[in-house]
Amino acid sequence: MRKIFYKIFFVAAIIFFANNFSVRAEQLQYLDERTVADILANTETAQKTDQIILVVDHNFSLWNKTSEGWWRRDMETYCGYGKNGLKENRHAGDRTTPIGSFPILYAFGKSPNPGTSMTYREITPYSYLSSEQETYNTWIESPQRRMSGEHLIDYYQYKYAMNIGFNINPTIYGKGSAIFLHCKSYDRWWTEGCVSLVEQDMVELLQRSRDGEYMIIVQNIEDIEKY
């Protein structure tokens, strides 16, 4: 009886993961590299950095500027985002992912640095991304008291992650905090407002990334030029 149970469980697990990842393969709409490279070259973001993470709906890609000044795609995959979609003027709790151009502030995770040259913060039992008014949208180490906000060690999705520079300079209380790029949840693609990748893609991205990177999030290719 026990053997039958384990066989059923094993088959069900295979079906679950096969379905989960087949959705990614079927829904990924590959972007034309030359078209996107030409658009990126004329953006304001391209004048600030030589490395851009690009999210166009569920299409996720990493672009690097060559020594000749051209943009080259070095990675492309499927990503998840907020349950209620992408939105320009998002606010805390609306389950949307912000549209726009944002600096990547730093990488972080529950696990040790997987090989990125970016600034990497390892999560401790006292690490929070604060939602309190005085320290809103700021990483705080608080061994003395439990803070309001994301207690980072509680989330397995933060095994590897990056902090997207949304709602900084200025930071507006209530606009939203803790907008990350992180590992996908086990059972779903959607998030509360972050962008998600399967773990192996997150590790590959970290290994290819460096400080000074920017991220552009848009719904359609033609919107890239706004940023």
Side-chain angles (χ1 to χ4, degrees):
M1 188 70 180
R2 181 175 293 181
K3 288 183 179 179
I4 294 174
F5 171 79
Y6 283 128
K7 285 181 179 179
I8 293 173
F9 177 82
F10 183 69
V11 171
I14 291 175
I15 293 172
F16 171 80
F17 285 108
N19 287 339
N20 198 22
F21 290 107
S22 67
V23 168
R24 179 179 65 160
E26 291 170 2
Q27 291 185 357
L28 180 59
Q29 300 296 314
Y30 292 97
L31 304 179
D32 179 75
E33 183 169 1
R34 171 167 257 179
T35 298
V36 176
D38 288 345
I39 297 173
L40 280 178
N42 293 306
T43 62
E44 289 186 18
T45 303
Q47 312 313 311
K48 302 175 184 176
T49 183
D50 59 4
Q51 193 167 49
I52 296 174
I53 294 170
L54 178 63
V55 172
V56 180
D57 195 26
H58 287 289
N59 184 290
F60 182 101
S61 52
L62 174 66
W63 298 77
N64 283 297
K65 187 186 292 183
T66 68
S67 57
E68 294 80 22
W70 299 101
W71 285 90
R72 182 186 65 215
R73 182 175 59 207
D74 285 342
M75 178 180 176
E76 187 170 28
T77 189
Y78 185 90
C79 68
Y81 52 67
K83 187 173 186 179
N84 293 328
L86 306 176
K87 186 178 178 182
E88 282 191 16
N89 298 310
R90 63 102 53 200
H91 59 78
D94 69 3
R95 288 184 162 184
T96 65
T97 296
I99 288 173
S101 174
F102 313 100
I104 298 296
L105 304 181
Y106 49 81
F108 67 97
K110 296 177 68 172
S111 293
N113 186 336
T116 185
S117 65
M118 296 185 74
T119 300
Y120 190 89
R121 296 184 178 184
E122 199 165 329
I123 293 170
T124 76
Y126 314 113
S127 301
Y128 294 84
L129 210 297
S130 174
S131 63
E132 297 182 3
Q133 189 161 1
E134 295 297 319
T135 54
Y136 192 70
N137 203 21
T138 302
W139 181 301
I140 301 290
E141 292 291 322
S142 181
Q144 287 78 29
R145 68 178 181 90
R146 187 173 182 90
M147 296 187 66
S148 175
E150 300 259 327
H151 188 210
L152 300 176
I153 204 165
D154 292 343
Y155 298 87
Y156 68 84
Q157 295 94 331
Y158 301 161
K159 181 176 181 178
Y160 302 110
M162 293 179 179
N163 192 349
I164 302 171
F166 168 76
N167 194 23
I168 58 169
N169 299 325
T171 300
I172 300 171
Y173 181 66
K175 186 175 181 180
S177 64
I179 299 298
F180 301 143
L181 169 58
H182 60 62
C183 296
K184 175 190 171 295
S185 298
Y186 298 143
D187 59 345
R188 65 181 186 271
W189 275 105
W190 62 264
T191 71
E192 296 292 329
C194 298
V195 177
S196 65
L197 296 177
V198 297
E199 183 180 322
Q200 65 187 36
D201 289 338
M202 191 70 222
V203 171
E204 179 181 352
L205 175 69
L206 283 167
Q207 292 173 344
R208 292 173 178 265
S209 294
R210 52 188 178 270
D211 286 335
E213 190 173 46
Y214 268 71
M215 186 173 191
I216 297 175
I217 304 174
V218 292
Q219 190 72 63
N220 305 294
I221 290 178
E222 54 266 28
D223 295 329
I224 298 172
E225 62 185 5
K226 298 177 183 177
Y227 303 102

